[in-house]
Amino acid sequence: MLKVEAFLCSFILLELFYQSRGVVITSSNKEVETREHKSAHLPCVFNLQSTQTPRVEWKKIKGKQVTFMYFDRALTGEYKDRAKMKGYSIELLRVTRDDMATYRCEVTAKDDTIVFAEKEFKLSVLVPPVVPKCKVPSSALSGSKVVLTCKESEGSPPSNYTWYKDNTILMNRPVKDSTSNKSYTVDGRTGILTFNPVQKSNSGSYHCRAQNKVASTICSAQFMQVNDLDIGAIVITVVIIALVLSLCGLGMYYTHKKGYLGRSGSSKEKATKQTAASPVNEEFKHTKSFVI
């Protein structure tokens, strides 16, 4: 235990020694949050050893893209009109969700023993969710799988979802209760409510709430009616279809047996032969008359 404490003390003293010999950024807030259209403060506070005029640069890092915000003692690009300097810290104005990124302050002190220091700050922009789009089937068949969806894509951070049936919350966990004949799963992250299988007792009015740390919104309630499978109606339908097919088959058999289909074909064949032979007979008669 004493060895550990001695090591920690040595480490702290060594750190303080190096800090006294060069530039050190002392800003401690690495996570910055603000609401959309408000301002955001990105701090860059540091200590120097002996350099009087350090070189300070601010960079915005979003994915693989790195752009200058502050360079050569001046704001650059769009930030000339949308930011202001407070010492070496930046006050970002009229923040939008496009400003969500990592920002890095870099300090170069050429006359110090340690000449360079940097620190990154992650900016999160808080945006309230819009009214979610809820899809609830108006009817369903008992015993089938039914999926209800709830989604919105504007909120930042992303929304969590809560489903209600008849204004009673459905817990965000798998539920199987044989006594009440219910079986459903709610995913609060995706907003998907699944009944597998759905039962007649699941009939009711459903609505969903989307919520993040800024605000919450709900969609309008929609009614889902679950009907039992009518075995009797299915049997009757099958019997009727079978009877219709049987009658059609008997009709075709009777027609063929009486020869109606055969006679029609023979008549058409005879008519075709007579039509083909008539020009020859006329030619023969004409020739015979000419010889006489």
Side-chain angles (χ1 to χ4, degrees):
M1 187 67 180
L2 293 175
K3 290 183 178 180
V4 174
E5 291 180 352
F7 174 79
L8 290 175
C9 289
S10 301
F11 178 79
I12 293 172
L13 291 173
L14 185 63
E15 183 70 16
L16 292 173
F17 171 77
Y18 277 109
Q19 287 183 4
S20 66
R21 298 179 62 81
V23 58
V24 176
I25 298 176
T26 59
S27 302
S28 59
N29 188 12
K30 294 184 178 182
E31 301 286 336
V32 180
E33 285 187 349
T34 188
R35 291 200 176 194
E36 192 173 29
H37 308 307
K38 301 294 184 178
S39 61
H41 183 71
L42 303 175
C44 187
V45 181
F46 50 86
N47 295 328
L48 299 172
Q49 178 187 1
S50 56
T51 301
Q52 299 299 315
T53 55
R55 187 182 73 191
V56 178
E57 297 175 353
W58 273 97
K59 297 175 181 178
K60 176 183 179 181
I61 305 167
K62 195 166 186 176
K64 295 182 179 180
Q65 185 177 8
V66 180
T67 55
F68 276 102
M69 297 176 66
Y70 182 78
F71 178 75
D72 197 18
R73 300 184 179 278
L75 291 166
T76 63
E78 64 171 305
Y79 300 103
K80 290 180 180 179
D81 301 321
R82 209 165 63 81
K84 59 183 180 181
M85 298 300 297
K86 291 186 174 181
Y88 291 108
S89 301
I90 288 184
E91 190 79 12
L92 192 57
L93 309 175
R94 303 183 300 278
V95 172
T96 68
R97 67 194 69 192
D98 290 334
D99 293 315
M100 286 192 290
T102 298
Y103 296 85
R104 186 167 66 211
C105 174
E106 299 177 356
V107 182
T108 302
K110 62 179 182 179
D111 297 328
D112 288 12
T113 304
I114 300 175
V115 299
F116 180 78
E118 64 178 21
K119 199 158 198 176
E120 293 185 344
F121 305 89
K122 182 180 178 181
L123 176 61
S124 299
V125 180
L126 306 179
V127 183
V130 298
V131 175
K133 294 181 179 179
C134 299
K135 294 183 179 180
V136 180
S138 58
S139 62
L141 193 61
S142 178
S144 63
K145 179 180 178 180
V146 176
V147 177
L148 284 65
T149 60
C150 177
K151 187 68 177 176
E152 74 84 29
S153 56
E154 296 296 320
S156 175
S159 295
N160 289 318
Y161 302 94
T162 305
W163 274 100
Y164 297 82
K165 175 182 180 283
D166 298 328
N167 294 321
T168 301
I169 189 172
L170 299 177
M171 302 303 294
N172 291 355
R173 58 184 176 85
V175 176
K176 291 187 177 179
D177 185 356
S178 57
T179 60
S180 60
N181 204 23
K182 293 179 180 178
S183 178
Y184 66 85
T185 303
V186 181
D187 191 329
R189 184 177 55 85
T190 62
I192 296 177
L193 168 60
T194 305
F195 291 96
N196 190 22
V198 70
Q199 304 295 335
K200 193 170 183 178
S201 59
N202 299 134
S203 296
S205 181
Y206 290 85
H207 73 273
C208 170
R209 179 186 298 274
Q211 183 173 10
N212 62 11
K213 62 170 61 178
V214 185
S216 66
T217 56
I218 61 174
C219 65
S220 300
Q222 303 176 49
F223 194 85
M224 180 177 71
Q225 178 64 47
V226 181
N227 300 309
D228 286 332
L229 185 64
D230 193 343
I231 302 297
I234 294 175
V235 172
I236 293 173
T237 302
V238 171
V239 171
I240 291 173
I241 293 174
L243 287 174
V244 171
L245 293 175
S246 298
L247 290 174
C248 290
L250 288 173
M252 293 295 293
Y253 174 75
Y254 180 80
T255 303
H256 185 270
K257 185 176 181 180
K258 291 296 184 180
Y260 296 139
L261 295 177
R263 290 176 183 177
S264 177
S266 300
S267 300
K268 289 182 180 180
E269 185 178 353
K270 289 179 180 178
T272 303
K273 288 182 179 180
Q274 289 177 359
T275 302
S278 58
V280 177
N281 294 335
E282 290 180 0
E283 183 181 356
F284 174 76
K285 290 178 181 179
H286 180 73
T287 305
K288 183 176 181 181
S289 176
F290 179 78
V291 173
I292 291 173

